[in-house]
Amino acid sequence: MRNYLGCENEIKTLEEEVDNLKSPFGSEGISEVDTQKIKNIQEEINQKLKETYSNLNSWQKTLVARHEDRPRASLYINKIFNSFTALSGDRYFGDDKSVTVGFGVINNRSVLIIGQEKGEDLDSRIEKNFGMMRPEGYRKCIRLMNLAERFQIPVITFIDTPGAYPGIGAEQRGQASAIANSIQCSMSLSVPNISIIIGEGGSGGAIALASSNKVIMLENSIYSVISPEGCASILWRDPSKSLEAAEAMKLTAKDLLNLNIIDELIEEPIGGAHRDVETTVLEVKNSIIKNLQFFENLSKEEIYDHRKQKFLKIGRDKGFVKSSNLSDKNLGYKETISQIIKRSFNEFKFIYLGILIVCLASLIAIFK
């Protein structure tokens, strides 16, 4: 049974009509299938899908990112990678089912694959805790990322989580520390790590594994520090203002690409990834191969510096660059002339205004 969003009511009606037309058993018994009418309605469906999905607002994209039929990490892993071998446990407490971690092969190259799992039905969602990882899940990822580092194996991560699990047990076992250590591990790797946000990228639960050389998003996925409902509850004390919160947070792939927070956007088929899974999987696979090839000829130091500069330059026009002093291995911020002038004016605007007034007064006195 296909699930529909609120903005897809007309599409739902048309698809139900197509399903009825495809059945040869009507109210009057067996009848001939009207293929021409089916074709016309299907064209109308495609047109409405194109119109609907090209005009989604930020809140509607959030709903698409959470869609029940959206492809999960396990599907991408099974279709993209060969010889996948899952590994379990953090060697401290237990195994977290909300994340699948193991080694596989893509394009004849071994990679470590990490996939956050929300589950397919109610039972699997409960088992996988709705994609909310516990400390043992992050520690499992850290253990295997360190193993990948030892054998110089790239890391591929599929992000899909509303956030880290906030339960009492998780807090008692060191949830905050586990997330912080996962971020540190991801940032310190000397092998390339690539993160693909396939659905929700929520809060520290996502950034713990998305501190990568390349952060890639599917077109209708989201990436934010908090959910729109949570943001609306804090700012307006009204969860119904989720639309305003979603628009203000700039959590969509296009907004984040414009802000240079992510590196690449993968376009989805008309109607979203859940309507054409094979095409979506192929696009994701091509993106992974392309980005792995980008890092093939880079040294360990260059891969590390690439990741470091990527995060240091977020929010800056030019970013952090290597110092011109060869003996200085640290990064320094390089400003353009226009930025220097603008900053200087903002800092000393009252002094400049006073000088301008004195100059004008002097000119007036001279001409008088």
Side-chain angles (χ1 to χ4, degrees):
M1 180 180 175
R2 179 172 286 171
N3 297 290
Y4 295 89
L5 301 175
C7 59
E8 297 178 315
N9 288 330
E10 292 183 24
I11 297 165
K12 178 182 179 181
T13 303
L14 290 170
E15 289 191 331
E16 288 175 348
E17 185 178 350
V18 168
D19 290 339
N20 291 331
L21 287 170
K22 286 180 179 179
S23 174
F25 302 99
S27 58
E28 300 177 357
I30 298 176
S31 60
E32 184 179 353
V33 175
D34 191 342
T35 55
Q36 184 58 45
K37 188 174 182 180
I38 291 173
K39 182 180 178 182
N40 292 338
I41 295 175
Q42 190 61 54
E43 289 176 355
E44 187 178 354
I45 290 171
N46 292 338
Q47 183 60 33
K48 285 192 175 295
L49 280 171
K50 188 175 182 180
E51 291 172 0
T52 301
Y53 276 79
S54 62
N55 294 295
L56 293 176
N57 58 39
S58 297
W59 173 242
Q60 289 170 328
K61 286 199 173 186
T62 301
L63 297 179
V64 176
R66 297 171 177 172
H67 201 288
E68 292 183 34
D69 299 333
R70 199 166 176 83
R72 305 301 184 194
S74 56
L75 184 143
Y76 289 103
I77 292 171
N78 292 332
K79 288 186 174 291
I80 292 176
F81 303 96
N82 301 319
S83 305
F84 177 72
T85 303
L87 299 173
S88 304
D90 66 342
R91 302 297 187 266
Y92 289 99
F93 182 82
D95 186 39
D96 190 345
K97 300 293 184 182
S98 63
V99 60
T100 299
V101 190
F103 291 94
V105 176
I106 180 173
N107 203 29
N108 296 320
R109 184 170 186 180
S110 295
V111 290
L112 173 67
I113 306 131
I114 300 173
Q116 292 178 316
E117 294 281 2
K118 281 186 174 180
E120 304 292 340
D121 51 33
L122 181 58
D123 290 336
S124 63
R125 284 170 188 157
I126 292 172
E127 180 188 25
K128 299 177 187 301
N129 202 34
F130 298 88
M132 294 183 289
M133 290 171 61
R134 297 178 172 90
E136 49 270 23
Y138 293 108
R139 293 186 180 119
K140 173 169 68 171
C141 295
I142 292 169
R143 178 174 74 83
L144 292 170
M145 281 192 285
N146 286 330
L147 187 62
E149 169 82 356
R150 186 184 307 170
F151 292 100
Q152 288 298 289
I153 296 173
V155 180
I156 310 296
T157 308
F158 293 96
I159 305 295
D160 190 14
T161 179
Y165 183 59
I168 293 175
E171 296 296 338
Q172 289 173 335
R173 297 194 298 277
Q175 183 71 289
S177 174
I179 291 172
N181 289 333
S182 183
I183 294 172
Q184 181 187 32
C185 181
S186 297
M187 292 292 288
S188 63
L189 294 174
S190 64
V191 294
N193 53 348
I194 299 166
S195 295
I196 304 103
I197 300 172
I198 57 176
E200 280 188 279
S203 190
I207 194 65
L209 298 176
S211 302
S212 308
N213 288 96
K214 295 281 187 177
V215 179
I216 302 163
M217 290 181 71
L218 291 183
E219 182 181 3
N220 294 316
S221 58
I222 61 169
Y223 188 30
S224 64
V225 71
I226 192 173
S227 68
E229 300 96 322
C231 178
S233 297
I234 292 171
L235 293 182
W236 296 288
R237 300 184 183 279
D238 183 2
S240 65
K241 291 187 178 290
S242 298
L243 171 60
E244 291 89 335
E247 293 290 348
M249 289 164 66
K250 305 296 182 186
L251 46 66
T252 66
K254 287 185 179 178
D255 288 331
L256 295 171
L257 186 64
N258 291 334
L259 293 169
N260 294 322
I261 292 174
I262 66 169
D263 303 283
E264 185 181 333
L265 181 154
I266 299 176
E267 292 187 358
E268 296 183 22
I270 295 172
H274 55 283
R275 285 185 173 268
D276 191 348
V277 173
E278 295 300 325
T279 299
T280 305
V281 168
L282 183 61
E283 290 295 324
V284 171
K285 181 177 181 179
N286 290 337
S287 177
I288 292 171
I289 293 171
K290 177 187 69 178
N291 283 289
L292 285 175
Q293 289 173 344
F294 173 81
F295 292 104
E296 270 185 357
N297 297 320
L298 297 184
S299 66
K300 295 179 183 180
E301 293 76 17
E302 288 172 329
I303 291 169
Y304 175 79
D305 281 345
H306 176 277
R307 188 185 307 113
K308 187 174 182 179
Q309 290 189 43
K310 166 189 162 56
F311 282 93
L312 285 174
K313 75 180 181 181
I314 290 176
R316 307 282 190 176
D317 292 332
K318 290 294 288 183
F320 287 82
V321 296
K322 284 284 188 181
S323 170
S324 57
N325 185 354
L326 295 177
S327 63
D328 185 4
K329 295 184 179 180
N330 295 321
L331 294 173
Y333 181 62
K334 183 179 179 181
E335 290 181 299
T336 62
I337 295 173
S338 61
Q339 288 174 321
I340 293 171
I341 294 172
K342 185 177 179 181
R343 177 174 55 78
S344 177
F345 179 78
N346 288 333
E347 290 179 1
F348 306 108
K349 55 187 174 183
F350 294 111
I351 295 174
Y352 292 145
L353 184 61
I355 293 171
L356 180 62
I357 292 171
V358 170
C359 291
L360 288 174
S362 300
L363 288 172
I364 291 170
I366 291 170
F367 286 108
K368 279 186 176 180

